[in-house]
Amino acid sequence: MNTTINIILWLASLGAFSTLTSIAWKYGRSHVKNVSLQNAGDIFLQGVQYAEQVAGSKSGAEQKQVATDFINKALSALHIEKLFTAEQVSSKIELALLELKKLDSEVTK
C-alpha cells in the first residue's frame, strides 16, 4: 500500500497526472463524438422513416420538413446539433432517403 502511494506521489511530482489526464480527456471527447456521430446516422434514417409514415401523402418538401424537424429535435436531445449545419442536415436527409430506398428494394427482392 505504501509503495502505491509513493509511486502516485512520485508521478504527481513529475507532473504525469496532468499529462495523463489531458490524454484521457482528449480520448474521451473524441470517443464520445464518434459514438454521437454514429448515432446521428441512425437518427437521419429514422427521421426519413418517420416522415414517410407521418407525412406519406404530402409533397416531398413537406416530408423533408417533417424529417428535418424530427432530426433537429433528436440531435438537440443528444447535444450534438452544433456538429451539423442546416446544409449538412439537408444533404444527410437526402442520403438517408437513398439508403432507405436501397434497403426497401433489397427487402422486396
Side-chain angles (χ1 to χ4, degrees), residues 28-103:
R29 285 189 66 195
S30 66
H31 177 70
V32 167
K33 186 175 179 180
N34 288 338
V35 169
S36 297
L37 291 175
Q38 289 172 352
N39 290 340
D42 294 338
I43 289 170
F44 286 102
L45 191 58
Q46 290 171 0
V48 170
Q49 290 173 326
Y50 174 77
E52 286 192 352
Q53 291 174 356
V54 171
S57 62
K58 297 183 180 180
S59 72
E62 291 173 314
Q63 287 182 5
K64 188 171 184 178
Q65 187 58 49
V66 169
T68 302
D69 293 342
F70 176 90
I71 290 165
N72 286 334
K73 287 178 186 175
L75 293 175
S76 292
L78 290 172
H79 307 290
I80 59 172
E81 69 276 5
K82 293 188 190 280
L83 295 177
F84 301 96
T85 64
E87 294 82 19
Q88 288 173 321
V89 170
S90 179
S91 66
K92 289 190 180 292
I93 287 173
E94 297 296 331
L95 290 172
L97 181 59
L98 292 173
E99 182 68 24
L100 184 62
K101 287 181 180 181
K102 180 182 169 188
L103 291 173

